[in-house]
Amino acid sequence: MAGLDDPATVDLVTQDADGDVALILVHAEPWSADGHDVTRLREKLNNYATYALDGQLVDTYPEASGARVRIQVDSVEEPTGDVAELLATARRGLAKHSIDLTTNIITI
């Protein structure tokens, strides 16, 4: 998975039985305390939103046409501090475009 190291890459796209599409961003390391991850996460989230809103998602996956879309951030620990604040801000902004933003704690 590319994770935050490659902001231009969508890590994973899934579609569930209901047809909902998840654009999954995988961060397999603890969140940095120095704020470096905030910058990289912001860029990656912006690229995911562009991918969904500008039609690239449907161009690549025509079966996603008309589907509900969510961006899912998978990470090894609960986001806190500046990362959690960025996710809250992004969640509000994405909701205006009918895109959900969720987080999921994974075990690697």
Side-chain angles (χ1 to χ4, degrees), residues 54-103:
D54 287 355
Q56 295 166 319
L57 171 63
V58 172
D59 287 347
T60 305
Y61 302 99
E63 62 275 16
S65 181
R68 290 177 20 146
V69 175
R70 83 173 178 277
I71 296 173
Q72 177 177 310
V73 178
D74 286 355
S75 62
V76 296
E77 66 182 15
E78 190 70 35
T80 60
D82 291 342
V83 172
E85 187 176 314
L86 169 62
L87 290 170
T89 300
R91 187 173 290 114
R92 289 188 298 273
L94 289 166
K96 295 175 185 176
H97 300 282
S98 300
I99 296 175
D100 293 327
L101 175 63
T102 62
T103 56

Side-chain angles (χ1 to χ4, degrees), residues 8-65:
T9 299
V10 174
D11 297 342
L12 181 64
V13 177
T14 65
Q15 189 167 27
D16 66 21
D18 293 330
D20 296 347
V21 173
L23 305 178
I24 301 174
L25 185 162
V26 179
H27 184 63
E29 303 170 13
W31 296 104
S32 70
D34 65 5
H36 181 65
D37 286 343
V38 172
T39 302
R40 298 183 321 149
L41 179 59
R42 181 181 295 112
E43 184 176 1
K44 186 101 176 181
L45 288 172
N46 284 336
N47 287 335
Y48 272 47
T50 298
Y51 182 76
L53 294 170
D54 287 355
Q56 295 166 319
L57 171 63
V58 172
D59 287 347
T60 305
Y61 302 99
E63 62 275 16
S65 181

